[in-house]
Amino acid sequence: MQPMTDYYPTREHFIEERFPRKEPVIHLDSQERANGPLSEEELQDYERNGFLSFEGYFSSEAVAPFFDELDDIERDSAMCARDQVIMDPNQKKVRSVFDMHKLSSAFDRMTRHPHLLAMVQQLLGSDVYIHQSRINDKSGFCGKGFEWHSDFETWHSEDGMPAMRAVSASIMLTDNNAFNGPLMLIPGSHQAFIPCPGETPDNNWTQSLRKQMVGVPSREDIADLANSGGIKQPTGPAGSLLLFECNTLHASNANMSPWPRSNLFFVYNSVENRMNKPFSGKAPRPSFLATRDNPPPLKAHCGEEQGETLLIS
Ligand code: 6CS
Ligand code: FE
């Protein structure tokens, strides 16, 4: 089989200049854009900024049960020993659990919420499946920050994601305010691919999930894009939703506040964009970081759960 053309050379194949993305942001042609719950105005916001935020999308009751699931995992030493569970070294607390959509039926239902799934299918112009899912628990006072990066640059290089046709969803489990290290995004940064220097170490994922050492754009590129697009940090009550394009630059500050910042994070990938061999040439990452078993397209779950309220009726 012919190796797939690498349209986004990065890492070892590093080139100096950033360049425009090859794919459209919204994968629909003009007469199909109305095929979904997002209005033309929302579609244009997403095209311009690379993200959409919905305060209070779910009620706090709808997301509260995930804390019990986190507690259950924390009490299960066999579970905590798995590679898919990232512990917070000093506190022996769970920091992240990957593949949550396979471990938790509540999480799986959240990813197949009818309205949420319809928005994502509209943005990606196709059926979708879950590329990656995780629950993050960032306690107060010590939640570390994370460097500026594009998820697509990692997923392309280390997982073999061919094109920019994926959307990440983050659902806040705790109130996100200006002080507890909310996600920061650079509006418009999704329009440019920034090649990043540096060879990808073998098994890079064993430390990159704590600190991104490769796949970090240059400060010049970040400054250029932030000077033109600014920086936004969507906040809101528990249950709020953020949808952001796979190539939108994002980072987070350390959480010096006494308040935790926890969220559900899951990535919808188009069924037309399934993983190829990693473009970095390294061994594929574990399947809990990048789904590889060709799951069928996601189907919406019927009926709404207790406590799910929607901004949009
Ligand atoms: O490597 C990854 O797939 C993960 N790393 C970061 C910094 N964000 C996306 C993803 O969860
Ligand atoms: Fe990220």
Side-chain angles (χ1 to χ4, degrees):
M1 182 168 97
Q2 277 288 357
M4 190 173 237
T5 309
D6 182 357
Y7 292 105
Y8 294 104
T10 186
R11 313 274 172 105
E12 300 86 318
H13 316 293
F14 170 72
I15 50 172
E16 292 299 323
E17 298 298 310
R18 65 177 188 267
F19 55 86
R21 64 184 286 139
K22 311 269 179 209
E23 295 78 24
V25 175
I26 293 179
H27 301 264
L28 287 174
D29 41 40
S30 48
Q31 70 273 18
E32 293 171 315
R33 284 169 72 98
N35 293 357
L38 291 169
S39 67
E40 181 54 30
E41 188 191 350
E42 285 169 321
L43 292 175
Q44 289 179 20
D45 273 355
Y46 184 77
E47 273 172 328
R48 187 175 47 255
N49 296 325
F51 60 91
L52 284 171
S53 58
F54 305 86
E55 277 199 34
Y57 185 79
F58 290 105
S59 69
S60 47
E61 292 76 27
V63 298
F66 290 103
F67 286 109
D68 302 335
E69 299 206 351
L70 256 177
D71 291 345
D72 293 347
I73 292 171
E74 217 146 64
R75 277 194 293 271
D76 179 342
S77 52
M79 187 66 210
C80 287
R82 289 192 195 181
D83 284 342
Q84 73 195 91
V85 179
I86 310 282
M87 299 300 287
D88 198 323
N90 15 2
Q91 285 187 314
K92 293 274 160 284
K93 263 178 67 64
V94 167
R95 199 46 195 76
S96 295
V97 181
F98 283 90
D99 248 5
M100 272 302 283
H101 66 294
K102 293 180 187 163
L103 293 172
S104 152
S105 55
F107 196 113
D108 166 57
R109 282 177 67 88
M110 201 59 106
T111 69
R112 295 185 296 111
H113 191 279
H115 182 268
L116 172 52
L117 188 55
M119 287 198 286
V120 170
Q121 289 166 334
Q122 186 179 10
L123 293 174
L124 296 179
S126 74
D127 275 332
V128 297
Y129 70 95
I130 296 295
H131 163 68
Q132 180 187 110
S133 71
R134 64 196 289 194
I135 185 168
N136 293 311
D137 192 16
K138 263 190 173 180
S139 5
F141 292 118
C142 59
K144 286 195 175 38
F146 210 89
E147 296 74 18
W148 287 105
H149 65 280
S150 150
D151 291 341
F152 174 74
E153 193 275 344
T154 290
W155 296 337
H156 178 76
S157 172
E158 298 190 53
D159 297 329
M161 184 182 279
M164 295 182 186
R165 196 171 179 182
V167 182
S168 293
S170 175
I171 295 175
M172 298 173 187
L173 295 181
T174 55
D175 294 358
N176 274 221
N177 57 51
F179 313 105
N180 61 345
L183 201 68
M184 300 183 290
L185 303 114
I186 299 180
S189 58
H190 61 303
Q191 294 288 6
F193 181 73
I194 308 175
C196 298
E199 163 129 22
T200 307
D202 293 340
N203 298 319
N204 184 40
W205 62 273
T206 54
Q207 64 79 32
S208 66
L209 298 172
R210 290 181 178 79
K211 183 167 175 47
Q212 187 118 348
M213 304 299 280
V214 288
V216 180
S218 74
R219 290 187 169 181
E220 291 73 25
D221 279 318
I222 296 167
D224 276 356
L225 293 168
N227 288 333
S228 49
I231 294 178
K232 292 281 183 220
Q233 57 173 25
T235 54
S240 299
L241 167 71
L242 173 67
L243 291 179
F244 60 106
E245 213 271 342
C246 59
N247 189 47
T248 304
L249 284 186
H250 57 284
S252 61
N253 280 320
N255 179 4
M256 302 306 285
S257 82
W259 308 303
R261 183 180 77 89
S262 304
N263 68 319
L264 305 182
F265 173 83
F266 42 105
V267 184
Y268 294 97
N269 190 31
S270 167
V271 292
E272 315 294 332
N273 194 37
R274 291 185 193 268
M275 297 308 110
N276 197 281
K277 292 217 297 289
F279 288 91
S280 64
K282 298 287 177 178
R285 300 200 298 173
S287 60
F288 62 77
L289 289 175
T291 300
R292 291 186 174 278
D293 55 359
N294 269 347
L298 280 187
K299 294 278 172 264
H301 76 68
C302 49
E304 284 182 1
E305 286 198 328
Q306 173 63 28
E308 283 176 357
T309 56
L310 286 178
L311 278 177
I312 302 95
S313 57

